[in-house]
Amino acid sequence: MSNEFLRPEDAPPSLYDDQGNPRFFSDPGMDRFVAVVMNLAQEVWVQEERLLALEEEKSGQSVDREAKVKEFIDRVFAPVREA
């Protein structure tokens, strides 16, 4: 199945492989590795959300989730931003 329907109209064709998958690095293994890291970051955030909900329930105080997600993203992607 091709991912062509996900491709923006103005995207350069060189960003996609023969199957229509986005390609960002010359080594396809690196693209897969980045996908794994992104999946792990997503799973960690889900756990963080669950902990925040439990803490809110226990303390009776709400948490600024937007600030928390910004802090999380800043922490997780700090190495990319430093490059």
Side-chain angles (χ1 to χ4, degrees):
M1 180 172 117
S2 172
N3 291 330
E4 192 145 337
F5 64 93
L6 297 175
R7 187 183 304 188
E9 290 178 16
D10 59 346
S14 61
L15 287 181
Y16 297 89
D17 64 16
D18 295 339
Q19 289 79 40
N21 300 310
R23 177 183 57 203
F24 300 103
F25 299 95
S26 58
D27 180 358
M30 194 64 177
D31 281 326
R32 290 190 300 272
F33 177 74
V34 169
V36 168
V37 170
M38 296 301 290
N39 286 339
L40 286 172
Q42 181 179 10
E43 292 296 325
V44 169
W45 177 247
V46 168
Q47 296 305 314
E48 182 71 18
E49 279 275 326
R50 290 177 177 170
L51 287 173
L52 289 172
L54 290 172
E55 290 172 3
E56 282 181 337
E57 187 177 314
K58 184 177 179 180
S59 70
Q61 297 178 343
S62 64
V63 175
D64 183 354
R65 280 187 163 67
E66 286 195 33
K68 291 288 189 180
V69 75
K70 182 182 180 328
E71 291 169 11
F72 176 78
I73 290 170
D74 289 345
R75 268 192 333 267
V76 169
F77 295 102
V80 175
R81 292 185 175 147
E82 293 171 0

